[in-house]
Amino acid sequence: DVKVTQSSRYLVKRTGEKVFLECVQDMDHENMFWYRQDPGLGLRLIYFSYDVKMKEKGDIPEGYSVSREKKERFSLILESASTNQTSMYLCASSWQGQIYGYTFGSGTRLTVV
Amino acid sequence: AQRVTQPEKLLSVFKGAPVELKCNYSYSGSPELFWYVQYSRQRLQLLLRHISRESIKGFTADLNKGETSFHLKKPFAQEEDSAMYYCALWAGSYQLTFGKGTKLSVIP
């Protein structure tokens, strides 16, 4: 019954590494999103995509990039990981209109050492 | 710009007591509002939508446009209700706007 799948549950990377977080959805949703979740700060939008090859910056895009080559897949890239990017990363997808809200993945806990 | 405010970071109640998780929003139009819940070690999931006017796991939420609120209520808290709760608003753009969340702790 899993509909939004994030490739890794836990990741540990070194400072300066290039990190790829992958997200796949099987619901044919147009929209896909990447958030980071930190205690006390809630969910902060990093990037989103409303169509293949389309991307829009969210509230905190610095240090991140994204790729959406296929409708079902949305990748988050940390170009040069830093310790302040240690966080829980959540992927979500939705229909074009938000009547039904988002479906979230189970999250990737990234630790940068 | 739209904004969602959840004034309580942490709410502790005793089992069997009523629960009210507050959510206020700022938006001049007619929003769609949602409550999401995240139980320990589980994914964030939709709890309820105001448009469907449903009751899920005993929770209800009424949209009050006059007070711009969408508070989540349950008459008798259960231990399994302990979780992180997020209120979210859709204002016609691509994405939802989330509050910062309230952690509900139900004391046995």
Side-chain angles (χ1 to χ4, degrees), chain A residues 25-84:
Chain A
Q25 52 96 2
D26 64 0
M27 295 168 289
D28 204 35
H29 284 168
E30 293 90 356
N31 301 332
M32 295 189 76
F33 307 86
W34 275 106
Y35 285 85
R36 61 179 284 177
Q37 182 182 32
D38 300 287
L41 299 178
L43 299 174
R44 292 182 290 168
L45 181 63
I46 304 170
Y47 268 96
F48 69 96
S49 168
Y50 54 87
D51 201 352
V52 176
K53 296 192 186 295
M54 306 303 291
K55 59 185 179 184
E56 294 284 343
K57 292 180 180 179
D59 300 318
I60 52 163
E62 296 78 19
Y64 303 94
S65 63
V66 290
S67 172
R68 193 168 180 199
E69 296 296 318
K70 294 184 178 181
K71 190 175 185 180
E72 67 270 19
R73 186 181 295 271
F74 192 37
S75 303
L76 179 69
I77 304 154
L78 286 65
E79 297 291 342
S80 178
S82 64
T83 55
N84 62 12

Side-chain angles (χ1 to χ4, degrees), chain A residues 22 24 36 44 58 67 70 74 88 90 100 103 106 113:
Chain A
E22 304 288 343
V24 177
R36 61 179 284 177
R44 292 182 290 168
S67 172
K70 294 184 178 181
F74 192 37
M88 172 67 86
L90 301 181
Y100 299 102
T103 300
S106 55
V113 297

Side-chain angles (χ1 to χ4, degrees), chain A residues 4 37 98-99 101-102 104, chain B residues 34 36 38 43 86 94 96:
Chain A
V4 179
Q37 182 182 32
Q98 289 292 357
I99 296 298
Y102 290 176
F104 281 91
Chain B
F34 307 81
Y36 282 83
Q38 189 173 33
R43 67 180 67 203
Y86 292 94
Y94 288 108
L96 300 179

Side-chain angles (χ1 to χ4, degrees), chain B residues 58-100:
Chain B
F59 284 98
T60 59
D62 291 318
L63 177 60
N64 185 323
K65 291 186 177 180
E67 295 183 359
T68 59
S69 68
F70 187 57
H71 302 329
L72 184 68
K73 299 177 183 179
K74 185 171 183 177
F76 306 103
Q78 302 299 315
E79 289 180 63
E80 56 265 30
D81 297 329
S82 295
M84 194 75 183
Y85 291 81
Y86 292 94
C87 181
L89 172 153
W90 180 52
S93 60
Y94 288 108
Q95 71 270 31
L96 300 179
T97 299
F98 286 88
K100 293 189 175 180

